[in-house]
Amino acid sequence: NNKTAIHTMLHRLIPSARTTASCKRLASNFHRRPFPSSKSLSAHHRAPTTIIHNNNQIRWHGDGPGPDAPTVNITFVNPDDSESKISARVGETLLQTCHRTGIEMEGACEGVCACSTCHVVLEQELYDQCLDGMEDGALSEDEEDMLDMAFGLTHTSRLGCQITVTENMEGSVFTLPKATRNFYVDGHKPTPH
């Protein structure tokens, strides 16, 4: 019986749910929302949610938008001053774009705004456009705190995990700093999953 199995699992995994009544209540709530079967989900299924701030921006769950998403052409100036021209998918973050296309943007915290290794420098006009599209017209306190630790900070610095690619970024140029500050002492470099 599924309810019994869920009850047993919850009883083992949730220390605060040690009473039978609380486990049964959790199990009954669990069954109110059936999960889709693995057969009904395709490998490239992406469920968009809209309007993160008040700029009608599309954000994607999981790995970002699928291969059929609209794209814009952007350029990265690499730490060695070479340029990489790529197609970025509208709706993904710059960090996701870099990981998908092989651009050397580390992202040690894997995109949760807890480090500064995805530091990127924007052109002034694009930086201003990004701020205009934000809820308060300013960077979040978390992003400002992380940028304080960034190597080569400029007045147009941002974190790549906090910038969502939009259609008005067509032709934009992003400059990667010459180095990053990663607090791992063993040289750990995360790989996107």
Side-chain angles (χ1 to χ4, degrees):
N1 182 333
N2 271 347
K3 280 191 177 185
T4 305
I6 292 171
H7 167 74
T8 304
M9 175 185 70
L10 290 172
H11 187 70
R12 286 185 196 148
L13 295 176
I14 304 174
S16 63
R18 291 293 179 205
T19 66
T20 303
S22 63
C23 286
K24 285 183 179 177
R25 188 172 51 252
L26 285 169
S28 67
N29 288 338
F30 185 77
H31 278 283
R32 288 188 184 151
R33 290 186 182 168
F35 288 102
S37 70
S38 59
K39 293 177 187 173
S40 67
L41 295 176
S42 71
H44 295 289
H45 177 72
R46 303 289 184 264
T49 29
T50 57
I51 309 176
I52 288 300
H53 301 292
N54 51 0
N55 61 349
N56 296 323
Q57 188 176 40
I58 296 175
R59 289 290 298 241
W60 301 81
H61 294 284
D63 297 332
D68 56 343
T71 60
V72 293
N73 297 310
I74 61 175
T75 301
F76 281 93
V77 177
N78 298 306
D80 64 359
D81 293 325
S82 65
E83 291 187 357
S84 300
K85 296 180 184 299
I86 59 161
S87 290
R89 296 175 183 162
V90 172
E92 69 185 351
T93 65
L94 280 184
L95 180 61
Q96 290 170 325
T97 298
C98 289
H99 285 179
R100 182 178 54 76
T101 59
I103 301 290
E104 288 285 327
M105 183 183 282
E106 188 174 342
C109 73
E110 298 184 14
V112 296
C113 197
C115 73
S116 63
T117 60
C118 64
H119 172 217
V120 64
V121 179
L122 281 63
E123 297 171 313
Q124 184 67 54
E125 184 179 336
L126 180 59
Y127 182 84
D128 293 340
Q129 284 177 4
C130 289
L131 286 184
D132 290 343
M134 298 180 79
E135 191 170 302
D136 297 328
L139 302 181
S140 72
E141 190 174 329
D142 289 340
E143 185 173 2
E144 285 182 350
D145 288 346
M146 293 301 108
L147 282 170
D148 286 342
M149 297 185 294
F151 179 88
L153 187 66
T154 73
H155 67 284
T156 60
S157 289
R158 291 289 309 273
L159 296 180
C161 67
Q162 299 301 300
I163 300 172
T164 302
V165 175
T166 61
E167 290 176 352
N168 67 344
M169 290 182 178
E170 178 68 40
S172 294
V173 177
F174 301 91
T175 303
L176 298 172
K178 303 288 182 197
T180 61
R181 289 191 178 126
N182 186 343
F183 293 105
Y184 276 100
V185 294
D186 63 357
H188 170 77
K189 278 199 171 187
T191 55
H193 44 126

